[in-house]
């Protein structure tokens, strides 16, 4: 069971309007997975299903204003997979998720608002004696913003590049 957050109940005074009469979410979750390691690689696969009564979602009420509301019956089925490889100073990882998110309220099957159907991530990290360089790309497919599946949030990629460097300022132990 999940109670509404303060943001969902009371809003933020601007973009999100409060909805004080929200019911607690009631979640039933089932999952089965498998993982394996071989040499420098490891990976896994999981299949799951979430059935939620009174799911709390944020939906549009005016131009750029959202309000939390309960959806009577929702179901999200999914499959997740991931793999990672460590080769000396180089690490690489790949993950992918496929969801089937449905709002089943009122006997009508619609895509659950705010939940994309596909997610993925790819990361490569190279460690040297001077620094660690990390490149990451993440993907999310389109999602619907509203209950009628008319307002579409387009798919997008996010790319990050990071450089980590450790600098030692004092390399002696002080015994006080």
């Amino acid at each position: 069971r999940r109670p509404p957050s303060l943001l969902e109940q009371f809003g933020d005074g601007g973009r999100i309007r409060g909805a004080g009469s929200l019911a607690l979410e009631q979640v039933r979750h089932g999952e089965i997975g498998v993982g394996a390691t071989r040499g420098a690689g490891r990976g896994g696969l999981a299949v799951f299903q979430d059935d939620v009564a009174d799911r709390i979602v944020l939906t549009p009420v005016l131009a750029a204003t959202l309000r939390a509301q309960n959806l009577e019956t929702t179901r999200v089925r999914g499959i997740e997979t991931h793999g990672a490889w460590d080769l000396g100073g180089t690490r690489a990882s790949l993950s992918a998720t496929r969801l089937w998110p449905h709002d089943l309220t009122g006997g009508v099957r619609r895509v659950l608002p705010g939940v994309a159907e596909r997610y993925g991530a790819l990361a490569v990290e190279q460690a040297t004696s001077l620094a660690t360089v990390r490149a990451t790309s993440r993907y999310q497919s389109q999602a619907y913003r509203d209950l009628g599946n008319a307002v579409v949030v387009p798919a997008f990629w996010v790319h990050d590049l990071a450089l980590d460097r450790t600098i030692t300022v004092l390399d002696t132990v002080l015994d006080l």
Side-chain angles (χ1 to χ4, degrees), residues 80-100:
E80 298 176 320
T81 185
H82 70 275
W85 302 266
D86 294 319
L87 305 168
T90 303
R91 288 183 169 177
S93 64
L94 177 67
S95 62
T97 302
R98 173 64 165 101
L99 300 177
W100 290 270

Side-chain angles (χ1 to χ4, degrees), residues 25 48 50-60 69-77 99-105 108-117 119 140-153:
E25 286 186 347
F48 64 90
D50 290 330
D51 291 319
V52 182
D54 295 318
R55 179 186 293 268
I56 300 169
V57 296
L58 293 172
T59 58
Q69 71 179 76
N70 289 108
L71 297 179
E72 183 181 303
T73 307
T74 67
R75 172 174 286 157
V76 177
R77 290 181 174 152
L99 300 177
W100 290 270
H102 292 108
D103 172 12
L104 306 172
T105 301
V108 178
R109 175 177 258 179
R110 292 179 296 253
V111 177
L112 188 60
V115 181
E117 293 182 345
Y119 297 88
Q140 177 181 309
S141 66
Q142 81 173 23
Y144 293 103
R145 185 70 251 153
D146 65 324
L147 295 175
N149 294 160
V151 179
V152 176
V153 177

